[in-house]
Amino acid sequence: MGKRVAVVLAGCGVFDGSEIHEASAALVHLSRGGAEVKIFAPNIEQRDVVDHLKGSPAQEKRNVLVESARLARGNIQDLAELKANEFDAVIFPGGFGVAKNLCSWAVDGKDCTVNEHVNSTLQAFHSAKKPIGLCCISPVLAAKVFPGCEVTVGQDKNVDGRFPDAETASAIAELGCKHVCKNVNESHVDKANKIVTTCAFMCKAPLHEIFDGIGTMVQEVLKLA
């Protein structure tokens, strides 16, 4: 029987929700790994809505669960209903929605607050010693919730202009966590905490390299599950 994996989304769209390519890559690799997947998102209003064509704010309101249902093809549940004892692992794709809707990192940085259901989900899987996979900006969730853990968001310097958000690594270190530099096609495994991270679109890289990096994260999560 395949591993049971919960995937937590933050909306639909890179600038105000889950990054679509990252979510899709995680789901493809989970499917290839024979996992049984259920998708969740918090039933809350988005912090903002971005016109992805213009790259500017839109004067409307959207719901994170409703928008995430687009990615889940309608097969999705409220994050409040997620029970860690029914799953072997949990994975959080990235996208600015993680930093806006799942926590307030986009506004408050390392002083952010984490959504109560996101926090309780992370705590439940960690307490049960079940693996947690995170990519792109979502490793900051682990850094905030689990001081002392090890994560990667890529590099801590803007190498060749490919890591424009490298300062995130410094903020993670300020939270008392260890940032481990990795390339886009790699992931880092914090064996003590069973946290697996990869940088994905925190690196300006070809899509297939991001896809491959997320694949390594999924594979390591399934090994730990």
Side-chain angles (χ1 to χ4, degrees):
M1 184 176 175
K3 298 296 167 55
R4 302 162 300 170
V5 181
V7 173
V8 180
L9 300 180
C12 182
V14 58
F15 298 126
D16 58 13
S18 288
E19 209 296 318
I20 294 171
H21 297 294
E22 291 180 12
S24 179
L27 293 170
V28 169
H29 286 296
L30 284 166
S31 176
R32 182 170 286 151
E36 177 187 337
V37 175
K38 288 189 178 179
I39 304 174
F40 298 84
N43 186 9
I44 57 174
E45 187 177 299
Q46 290 185 189
R47 177 175 288 274
D48 62 14
V49 178
V50 176
D51 181 328
H52 280 60
L53 179 61
K54 298 177 181 177
S56 58
Q59 300 305 309
E60 60 180 285
K61 295 182 178 181
R62 296 190 183 186
N63 178 279
V64 174
L65 179 59
V66 173
E67 291 302 296
S68 298
R70 295 174 180 270
L71 278 169
R73 298 172 59 87
N75 188 10
I76 193 167
Q77 293 175 259
D78 187 337
L79 182 59
E81 299 173 5
L82 193 161
K83 297 179 176 61
N85 62 359
E86 296 179 355
F87 295 91
D88 300 304
V90 64
I91 286 177
F92 288 76
F96 282 121
V98 172
K100 292 179 175 181
N101 305 324
L102 303 191
C103 69
S104 63
W105 187 278
V107 176
D108 302 319
K110 65 182 177 63
D111 298 318
C112 72
T113 56
V114 178
N115 171 273
E116 61 174 318
H117 295 303
V118 173
N119 193 338
S120 62
T121 295
L122 289 167
Q123 295 282 9
F125 277 85
H126 187 259
S127 296
K129 294 182 168 48
K130 295 179 178 181
I132 299 167
L134 310 113
C135 65
C136 193
I137 190 64
S138 64
V140 301
L141 296 172
K144 186 66 181 182
V145 176
F146 307 119
C149 72
E150 299 178 0
V151 299
T152 188
V153 289
Q155 300 290 324
D156 55 10
K157 295 181 178 61
N158 190 8
V159 182
D160 298 327
R162 298 174 73 226
F163 293 88
D165 301 305
E167 71 277 0
T168 304
S170 299
I172 286 169
E174 288 176 24
L175 285 170
C177 298
K178 180 179 180 180
H179 179 266
V180 181
C181 292
K182 291 285 183 177
N183 292 323
V184 66
N185 60 345
E186 300 175 314
S187 57
H188 176 69
V189 181
D190 177 348
K191 293 181 179 178
N193 290 292
K194 290 194 172 182
I195 295 171
V196 188
T197 50
T198 189
C199 70
F201 278 102
M202 294 292 276
C203 177
K204 290 184 176 180
L207 182 57
H208 70 277
E209 293 185 10
I210 291 164
F211 182 88
D212 291 345
I214 292 171
T216 67
M217 181 267 285
V218 169
Q219 289 166 16
E220 294 295 341
V221 165
L222 292 178
K223 282 181 190 175
L224 290 171

